[in-house]
Every structure is written in structure tokens, then in C-alpha cells.
Amino acid sequence: MGDSLGDIVLVWYFPLLVLQWPTCGTLKGLLKQFREKLVSEIRDPRDVAPIFRKMRGENAESAVIAAMVLLNVGMVAIDGASANSLKGQVRDILAFLCRLQAHTNVPVLLSCTDMFMHGAKLLGSEVDAVLRGHRLEFKPFSPPNPKAPGTGTWGTYNKWFWQAGLLPPLLEMPRNLPIWTSELCHGRVSWLSAGFRALLERLVWEPKLLESGGPSEQAVKETFEQQLCTWAGARTTIAEYGEDPAFVSRANALRYVDHLPFAAGSAMEALSSRPLLGVGHA
């Protein structure tokens, strides 16, 4: 930040290392990501080549910790941990992140589902340090008020996407659009974003859909469902759970547990029938 808006004289750079929870479910896979990400970001890796070589050996964990200090990394973010991740070496990975945080004082941001967090907490004090920090939950948004669909958080998101710049600025959003999208997206902003992207592109190529105060509910539904077809199973399961949790089959509860409320009885029952926590060592 600068001393004044007109003359920036000082800029603070905050190095953030963003990794994915390893699909292989092993600590070795995560350490490999550390090395590859750091190598890709360093201007001249040869300057710190010795420490990168050590990241491939028996002392890879210590080498990664040393690299965090040497390269002055400000934060490490691990994204993508879900219920399915609990089958891997969760204890090994989280224990390493605890050591990383303790030895370097670099904060670790863990982006995960509620189900993963619940399972990880069962591992006890060995991994508690990386789980007990400030927690921010992103819950699905409630449906809009039928009397004023454009108000509230969901209505505001719809207005923001509608006014994203692809349509004429004075073109008003259909009044009930937030209601339609809420039913299609079940309050998930990521699905709303994907659906709106497809809708706006369609309206650009098919401007007739904007006549008579359009697009119509049918056009919106067709566009969103086509765009969100990848999540059709999850959306159906969420709708079934909303009607009656007993409607959700054991198979779907297990398959889409990350999309259901954490307290979903059918989901918890399905998961309790098999061991999920990975406690093996690499």
C-alpha cells in the first residue's frame, strides 16, 4: 500500500502458496506439490537448487520446512479436502502441516468440506494445531423473499451477475429470476456463477429471448440445467433431502455427502458403515 492514493511509494508483497489436497492421498504427493510449485515460482531455481534436491530425498519434510523460511512464504493454502480425502493418509498430511506451522510460524489455510473437518478432528491432538484456528463456513444461501426477490444476499448476487457487462446497462433483470435460479442452484453461488455465464452468453447470441421482459423461466431453466449437468446427481440428492431426508438413498448419501447438511442422518449413517480415516504412513 502507498502513502497516498496518487503516489504509491511502498508496496507490500505477501507470498501465498496455494496447493491442492493430493489426489493420491499421500504426504509424498503433497510434498511433491510443494517442490513443483516453488520451482515454478522462483525466478532462478538454481540459486536454491540444493534445497530443492533435498525435497526429493528422505529428508523432504525438513527441506520443505526450510524452504518456507528461506523463501519467506507468507501463507500456505491447501484446497480441495473432501469426504473422499479421508481415505488417504490424513494423519500424516495434517501432522506435517502442524510441524510446518510450528517451525516456521507460517499460517496454514485449509479449505475443506464439513465432512472432512469432522473426520479429521477424530484424529486427536496430534493434528489439532492445524484444525483449531478461526473457522469460516460458507453455507448455501436461503431462498429469496417471494415478495421482493431482488433483495437479500441471493438477490444481490443475481443482480451483480446480471449487470456483469454483457447486456445493455439499462436492461432490467426479470423480477423472478432470483427465485428461478435459487430453485436450480439450491443456494450455491458457484453453480449460480456457472449458470449465469452460460445464460449471458446465450442472451448475447439469442437477443430475441430478451423480448417481452425476458428471458423466460423456461429459457433460464434450460440453460442452467444444461450448464449444471455435471452436478445433476448432487442437485437431485439435495432436492430429495430438502423434501424428506428419508428419500435419499444410502448410495447417494455416500456419493454426495459433501453437498448435504453435515447433520444429514442418512449421510452419516451411510458413512458410519465403513472406515474412512487413513492413518497409514508414507
Side-chain angles (χ1 to χ4, degrees):
M1 298 181 62
D3 291 343
S4 67
L5 294 178
D7 183 19
I8 299 178
V9 296
L10 179 63
V11 176
W12 292 98
Y13 176 70
F14 189 79
L16 173 63
L17 189 66
V18 181
L19 307 174
Q20 293 292 312
W21 189 272
T23 55
C24 61
T26 66
L27 175 56
K28 183 178 180 180
L30 181 64
L31 296 175
K32 181 180 179 182
Q33 279 195 64
F34 268 99
R35 183 184 184 280
E36 292 176 346
K37 190 72 173 182
L38 290 172
V39 169
S40 68
E41 295 291 338
I42 301 301
R43 184 173 182 179
D44 189 355
R46 292 174 297 180
D47 292 344
V48 285
I51 198 169
F52 285 141
R53 285 196 295 270
K54 291 180 180 178
M55 287 185 189
R56 289 176 169 173
E58 296 181 357
N59 297 319
E61 295 180 38
S62 299
V64 167
I65 292 174
M68 294 297 101
V69 177
L70 179 64
L71 300 175
N72 196 30
V73 174
M75 176 181 286
V76 175
I78 310 294
D79 189 22
S82 63
N84 192 57
S85 305
L86 293 172
K87 297 183 295 185
Q89 297 172 349
V90 185
R91 186 188 300 276
D92 290 347
I93 294 173
L94 294 180
F96 167 73
L97 294 176
C98 286
R99 291 193 295 274
L100 172 66
Q101 192 169 253
H103 290 300
T104 64
N105 204 31
V106 173
V108 174
L109 174 64
L110 184 62
S111 176
C112 63
T113 65
D114 283 346
M115 193 62 223
F116 176 87
M117 180 62 72
H118 173 75
K121 284 184 175 180
L122 299 179
L123 292 171
S125 58
E126 184 180 352
V127 301
D128 184 58
V130 80
L131 302 176
R132 67 186 178 201
H134 179 70
R135 183 173 179 178
L136 180 62
E137 297 185 32
F138 295 94
K139 297 294 186 182
F141 291 111
S142 302
N145 184 348
K147 296 182 179 180
T151 62
T153 304
W154 188 258
T156 300
Y157 268 106
N158 278 260
K159 285 183 177 179
W160 189 85
F161 283 122
W162 180 264
Q163 299 169 352
L166 294 179
L167 301 176
L170 298 180
L171 186 65
E172 293 187 7
M173 180 182 74
R175 180 181 184 277
N176 290 326
L177 184 61
I179 296 177
W180 306 336
T181 59
S182 178
E183 294 173 352
L184 292 163
C185 302
H186 303 285
R188 275 69 173 177
V189 174
S190 59
W191 291 349
L192 179 68
S193 175
F196 247 106
R197 185 183 301 112
L199 177 63
L200 293 176
E201 289 178 356
R202 182 179 179 184
L203 293 178
V204 169
W205 291 103
E206 301 179 51
K208 288 186 177 181
L209 293 175
L210 293 170
E211 297 177 357
S212 303
S216 66
E217 180 178 3
Q218 182 62 28
V220 172
K221 184 177 180 180
E222 289 175 354
T223 307
F224 268 67
E225 288 189 340
Q226 181 177 9
Q227 183 69 12
L228 302 179
C229 62
T230 304
W231 298 282
R235 292 171 58 236
T236 299
T237 301
I238 292 170
E240 291 176 348
Y241 180 82
E243 292 292 329
D244 185 347
F247 288 165
V248 181
S249 68
R250 186 183 185 88
N252 282 343
L254 184 59
R255 186 176 296 114
Y256 303 113
V257 64
D258 289 311
H259 294 277
L260 297 176
F262 175 68
S266 56
M268 293 301 295
E269 180 184 354
L271 285 171
S272 65
S273 64
R274 65 168 186 168
L276 285 175
L277 288 175
V279 296
H281 295 276

